[in-house]
Each structure stands twice: as C-alpha cells, then as structure tokens.
Amino acid sequence: MMQRKPIPLTALYGGIATLAMIVVTLGTYKAGPVSFLKLTVELMYLIPLACGAIAALVRRSQQGGYLEFRNALRIIFGILVLAVALQGVFTWLLVNVIDPHFGQALRPVWLANTESAYRRFGMPDDEIRKNIDSLKNTNPFSFGSVMLGLARVYILGFLISLILAAITKRKKPIERPTTL
C-alpha cells in the first residue's frame, strides 16, 4: 500500500492565504474602483503573515515544541512570497485581461488618490500638476508596476517575517551531562 506524502506547510498555508487574498480582491472588485484602490485594502497583506505565523507554530508543535529561527523564517516568508505573487498575478489578469474596462476605470481614481497623497505631503501645486500630467499616460497595473509593487511588499514583509520568526522560534535546551 502506497502512503500519501503530506502537503508541505508552505504550500498548504500559502494556498489558504492566496485564496483569502483573492476573495478580498474579488470583493473590492465587485464594490468598484474606489473600494479596489482604498488604502485599507493593503491590510490584506497581513493575511499571509498571519498564515505564516500559524504554519510556523504548527511546525513547532510537530517538532515537539521546538523550531529553529531559520526554519521559522523560511516558512513565514515562503508563505508570504507565494501568496503575494499569486495574488499579484491574479490582480494583473483581472484588470488587464479579464476586465480591461475595469482597469481603465481605475486610472482616474488612482490619479485622484495620487494627487491627494501629494497634497498630504505638502507638495506645491505646480509640482503636483507636473507629476500628475506625467502619470496620465502610465498604466499603474502594468506587469512591471505589479512586479515593482511585489518587490516593495517583499521588502517590508521580510522585515515583519523576521520579527514573527523571532517570536515563533524556540530552541531546544542544551542537554548537559549530569555529574556524580
């Protein structure tokens, strides 16, 4: 009788995180361009970090309550990389292939959000106008833009993964020989 090989934790929890992020993306897509581009949507990147921390704790319990820092980091960051990459590809497909009309509807909202951000940072009006004019012919959801966004998430996510790995790791105590 052939035994089934268990699904790796990174793949299992990465898949769960990916599905959850895609559900959030579809929900904001259905709600419209303004909801799709809300800053609070960025909170969905906490999903793979939470799944990663849970997976690290599961691995720790599977190993008798101990997990090395490097292994914890590999699990947590691996889940983040997998989930964010798949969600990014899904978003790119959604706005460029599945519903390009929606992608076009995002552009004015994106420009308005960008202008609002420039104003919050106190940029002068002539600089704002110049920057917005230069952005009018760009696609914020081009494949390159999505990949650049992934890189930003990975950098910040790696730092948070370091913290989570430090929290979830637990070294095995060194067994000292008893002396008589």
Side-chain angles (χ1 to χ4, degrees):
M1 186 167 164
M2 198 168 131
Q3 257 189 326
R4 293 181 87 192
K5 190 175 181 180
I7 299 172
L9 278 178
T10 304
L12 176 63
Y13 283 87
I16 292 168
T18 300
L19 287 175
M21 292 175 76
I22 287 174
V23 166
V24 170
T25 301
L26 286 173
T28 58
Y29 164 72
K30 289 292 184 185
V34 173
S35 295
F36 193 82
L37 293 176
K38 277 198 177 191
L39 195 56
T40 54
V41 172
E42 300 295 324
L43 293 176
M44 85 172 146
Y45 293 109
L46 295 176
I47 295 170
L49 291 167
C51 285
I54 292 167
L57 292 171
V58 166
R59 175 58 47 94
R60 189 173 82 183
S61 73
Q62 288 173 343
Q63 295 180 348
Y66 303 104
L67 181 64
E68 293 294 321
F69 175 80
R70 177 178 277 174
N71 291 334
L73 181 60
R74 188 176 296 134
I75 291 167
I76 296 166
F77 189 62
I79 289 169
L80 176 79
V81 167
L82 177 67
V84 171
L86 293 175
Q87 190 275 337
V89 169
F90 175 77
T91 299
W92 180 83
L93 286 170
L94 179 66
V95 300
N96 289 295
V97 177
I98 297 169
D99 191 355
H101 178 68
F102 182 74
Q104 291 299 318
L106 290 172
R107 191 171 298 215
V109 176
W110 172 69
L111 288 170
N113 288 352
T114 303
E115 181 179 346
S116 174
Y118 288 158
R119 291 194 189 288
R120 272 190 309 250
F121 290 122
M123 187 180 277
D125 284 341
D126 58 327
E127 286 290 317
I128 291 173
R129 196 172 327 103
K130 188 178 0 171
N131 285 333
I132 295 298
D133 287 342
S134 71
L135 291 175
K136 285 184 179 176
N137 296 323
T138 62
N139 179 3
F141 291 98
S142 68
F143 193 74
S145 295
V146 170
M147 291 301 116
L148 184 62
L150 287 178
R152 288 186 199 125
V153 171
Y154 288 159
I155 291 168
L156 182 60
F158 182 73
L159 298 174
I160 296 170
S161 295
L162 287 170
I163 295 167
L164 291 173
I167 292 169
T168 58
K169 69 140 172 84
R170 183 173 296 150
K171 285 187 176 183
K172 233 178 202 179
I174 299 172
E175 295 183 21
R176 301 184 191 274
T178 57
T179 56
L180 296 173

